[in-house]
Amino acid sequence: ALYNQTSEEVIIIAHRGASAYYPENTMPAFKAAVEMGAEMIELDVMMSKDGVPIVFHDSTLYSHTNGEGLVKDYTLEELKKLDAGSWFSDEFAGTRIPTLDEVLGFAAGKIAVNIEIKSEAVSDKVEGGVVEKSLELVSKHNMKEHVLFSSFDYLALEQLHRLKADVMVAMLFDDRQLARKLPHKLIKPLHATAFNCHFRELSRRWLKDLQEYNIPHFIYTVNNARKMKRLINSGVTGIFTNRPDVLVEVAQ
Ligand code: G3P
Ligand code: MG
């Protein structure tokens, strides 16, 4: 279902775009990911004060913009005035925080998108909440077959199920206490069809289970070529990297 994907090959996912070389979660980072040959971009979704899904990782503005305070306290218009590039390098001064609408518009027809819903953006509201609004944008851009939704917040996964989303949904694993359980058991109550975890969490036992049950699994965030090679050899579905150019090279 992904653009440009040949079935046996590892799916190359540009984590927050080509974020080793460009300011993360910005248009330059996403454009570079396409140019480098990635098959999917990963992005994080937060909400502005006026309820617009925007592409940003942190709950606060300090480290990746010239603003301060919480993202959710600013309207889209206010967020759009911030500089989301200078923290990375002067070369990117004036780069703006993109909306999810803008990034999907760019990606449609070019590259698949992993929409990671950040916990801070999730409310109890099903209608008009971040999950429903993101889904609407995916439909607007005809991207249903080319997106992977994921979240560490399982309420978001539950909402996707309630909304009959009809998209691929991954559980993002980060609860050590659940590590004894097998992925096929973990995803079931969440109605997820895929499983994403950190490379250090992926045990042999888990890998075997994921492959036995044919569960697509996407492993983050791997920037080292040798580690990439090892994961490719063990047959993982996809790898998140800040250096998609390196993964393209290693995957050949
Ligand atoms: O979705 C994979 C990865 O992005 C999860 O962690 O903090 O980089 O969003 P984080
Ligand atoms: Mg993320």
Side-chain angles (χ1 to χ4, degrees):
L2 303 172
Y3 296 119
N4 314 323
Q5 194 219 341
T6 21
S7 59
E8 298 101 76
E9 280 167 18
V10 70
I11 296 169
I12 296 165
I13 311 165
H15 183 247
R16 312 182 192 176
S19 59
Y21 316 107
Y22 297 86
E24 63 175 52
N25 283 324
T26 65
M27 289 313 297
F30 297 133
K31 286 184 180 152
V34 172
E35 278 156 23
M36 288 175 182
E39 282 126 0
M40 188 188 281
I41 49 175
E42 184 261 4
L43 52 82
D44 306 287
V45 172
M46 296 283 293
M47 281 279 247
S48 67
K49 186 181 176 184
D50 49 339
V52 181
I54 58 148
V55 176
F56 200 75
H57 179 272
D58 303 350
S59 52
T60 66
L61 294 164
Y62 302 102
S63 29
H64 298 115
T65 74
N66 59 343
E68 50 185 59
L70 295 168
V71 174
K72 65 168 190 201
D73 289 339
Y74 293 87
T75 62
L76 178 63
E77 196 188 336
E78 290 163 340
L79 292 169
K80 277 290 186 186
K81 292 190 180 127
L82 300 177
D83 180 335
S86 289
W87 68 271
F88 189 85
S89 143
D90 289 344
E91 200 189 322
F92 299 105
T95 304
R96 300 296 160 196
I97 296 174
T99 61
L100 180 59
D101 194 16
E102 286 164 350
V103 181
L104 290 175
F106 160 76
K110 282 195 206 72
I111 192 162
V113 181
N114 173 207
I115 298 177
E116 188 199 331
I117 306 282
K118 281 296 173 204
S119 195
E120 293 86 342
V122 181
S123 68
D124 304 338
K125 262 202 314 196
V126 178
E127 274 157 47
V130 69
V131 171
E132 189 185 54
K133 284 188 177 171
S134 301
L135 255 181
E136 280 168 7
L137 292 169
V138 167
S139 297
K140 170 183 165 189
H141 293 285
N142 272 314
M143 286 285 282
K144 274 207 168 189
E145 285 176 23
H146 309 287
V147 292
L148 166 66
F149 272 83
S150 64
S151 191
F152 287 115
D153 190 325
Y154 302 150
L155 182 57
L157 307 188
E158 191 196 297
Q159 292 181 356
L160 283 162
H161 179 64
R162 259 201 274 171
L163 292 163
K164 301 190 176 24
D166 192 28
V167 290
M168 200 200 284
V169 176
M171 165 191 191
L172 257 166
F173 177 87
D174 83 336
D175 187 348
R176 280 281 168 107
Q177 295 187 324
L178 297 176
R180 283 161 167 272
K181 292 208 178 178
L182 289 168
H184 83 271
K185 292 222 166 111
L186 289 169
I187 63 170
K188 207 166 172 200
L190 304 174
H191 307 280
T193 48
F195 186 84
N196 298 2
C197 69
H198 189 277
F199 65 84
R200 265 186 242 112
E201 309 275 9
L202 185 69
S203 60
R204 246 175 242 272
R205 187 169 157 265
W206 268 14
L207 193 62
K208 187 165 164 268
D209 183 72
L210 290 162
Q211 292 174 348
E212 225 167 81
Y213 284 84
N214 249 318
I215 301 164
H217 46 292
F218 304 92
I219 312 303
Y220 62 89
T221 301
V222 187
N223 297 316
N224 170 286
R226 253 182 306 157
K227 221 172 275 161
M228 290 171 181
K229 190 85 217 165
R230 228 177 297 144
L231 285 169
I232 293 170
N233 289 342
S234 56
V236 300
T237 318
I239 299 175
F240 294 90
T241 181
N242 300 338
R243 302 179 186 278
D245 55 335
V246 175
L247 185 50
V248 165
E249 185 87 18
V250 172
Q252 270 176 3

